[in-house]
Amino acid sequence: MSQTITIDPVTRLEGHGKITIQLDNQGEVESAHFHVTQVRGFERFSEGRPFYEMPGLMARICGICPISRRQFPLLPAQ
Amino acid sequence: MSKTTLATVWLDGCSGCHMSFLDMDERLLELAELVDVIYSPLVDAKEFPETVDIALVEGAVSSEADEEKIRKVRAHTKTLVAMGDCSITGNVPAMRNPIGPEAILDRAYIENASAQQQIPIIGVPRLLRVVRPIQDFVKVDVYLPGCPPSAETFHTALTALLTGAPMDIPALTRFGA
């Protein structure tokens, strides 16, 4: 009997994720999808903004790893 | 006497407010004597419970799923706390508002993709045209500004909520803090 297994939300993961697994009639995996259910658009809205805003802005991509994100834009700025 | 039930929710945020909340460190143990965290991205609950005493909500409302979620949270919660600038003003997620969702999706999934360029549509919620703060959808009881609000702010605010003591929010925190 075919069945869909849904894991929603994917817990203990930053960002929003959902997993759906489609099983066929034999209970074997027919397909599996990982859905990313959040997009904010940093790549686009930071365009045209002053370079000195970038460390502060990029740090807000992720609250768990803001530190590494602050350092990265400083390299091209130099 | 049963403990106060606490839930935390993230909408379109970065989890920074949640991390700041966790930065209360050992004071979380004192808090654990008074509250039961019954729903949170930090624990394994999948369904928002029937009744929650205090819900801390992080993140703006950017998609239909966020909107559905905040309405559900409000309906099942006694005291709704908007934590962090995103939930109060829109903040960083709202920076896409002048540009519009189509350009955002194009840049992320078409222009910047080196393989299989396509806008995802299967099993992902539709983006709202405009990112908005949660108060545009539901009544908010307490506002905790900051990006993120400090652990100190969380501790003072939660203690006040749990003991019924008064809170002076402007003295504790501000937007962009």
Side-chain angles (χ1 to χ4, degrees):
Chain A
M1 180 192 75
S2 74
Q3 189 192 358
T4 308
I5 302 173
T6 308
I7 303 167
D8 183 23
V10 175
T11 52
R12 292 182 293 239
L13 168 85
E14 207 296 304
H16 295 57
K18 177 169 87 174
I19 295 174
T20 54
I21 305 167
Q22 189 68 37
L23 302 179
D24 65 17
N25 291 324
Q26 282 74 47
E28 298 291 324
V29 174
E30 195 174 80
S31 67
H33 287 91
F34 174 59
H35 313 262
V36 177
T37 51
Q38 175 190 29
V39 57
R40 279 166 291 162
F42 281 84
E43 311 93 323
R44 184 65 183 83
F45 69 59
S46 54
E47 218 177 68
R49 300 197 73 88
F51 74 93
Y52 49 78
E53 282 186 6
M54 294 305 118
L57 208 46
M58 297 303 129
R60 269 80 186 175
I61 293 177
C62 168
I64 302 170
C65 57
I67 315 295
S68 47
R69 295 190 181 279
R70 288 184 88 94
Q71 290 166 345
F72 192 67
L74 293 174
L75 299 174
Q78 281 166 23
Chain B
M1 193 182 98
S2 62
K3 293 187 192 176
T4 305
T5 53
L6 180 75
T8 76
V9 177
W10 64 38
L11 303 173
D12 197 20
C14 76
S15 84
C17 291
H18 277 77
M19 296 304 111
S20 190
F21 174 87
L22 292 175
D23 279 344
M24 281 194 276
D25 298 330
E26 69 280 355
R27 290 182 292 183
L28 286 168
L29 294 171
E30 294 167 21
L31 210 61
E33 313 260 307
L34 303 168
V35 304
D36 251 334
V37 178
I38 57 173
Y39 178 91
S40 171
L42 306 171
V43 302
D44 262 328
K46 300 284 186 195
E47 285 293 327
F48 198 79
E50 252 324 292
T51 330
V52 169
D53 293 322
I54 303 174
L56 303 176
V57 180
E58 169 189 329
V61 178
S62 307
S63 70
E64 290 179 351
D66 291 335
E67 185 177 344
E68 204 182 299
K69 187 143 205 196
I70 191 63
R71 292 191 194 283
K72 184 168 189 180
V73 169
R74 175 73 272 187
H76 296 270
T77 300
K78 294 195 193 136
T79 306
L80 195 143
V81 178
M83 67 171 172
D85 291 348
C86 294
S87 61
I88 302 177
T89 64
N91 198 33
V92 173
M95 289 177 73
R96 72 155 167 88
N97 287 351
I99 301 166
E102 294 84 13
I104 297 296
L105 291 168
D106 252 353
R107 174 59 60 86
Y109 291 109
I110 310 275
E111 295 170 41
N112 282 1
S114 54
Q116 298 206 49
Q117 289 116 332
Q118 54 191 291
I119 311 279
I121 48 170
I122 306 172
V124 290
R126 214 163 62 91
L127 294 178
L128 298 178
R129 177 135 301 275
V130 172
V131 173
R132 285 150 66 185
I134 63 180
Q135 68 179 24
D136 280 15
F137 299 89
V138 298
K139 179 176 174 297
V140 173
D141 300 308
V142 180
Y143 293 86
L144 289 180
C147 185
S150 70
E152 194 57 50
T153 301
F154 277 117
H155 185 256
T156 307
L158 279 171
T159 307
L161 280 173
L162 292 169
T163 59
M167 248 192 290
D168 184 4
I169 308 264
L172 276 181
T173 182
R174 58 171 176 79
F175 291 116

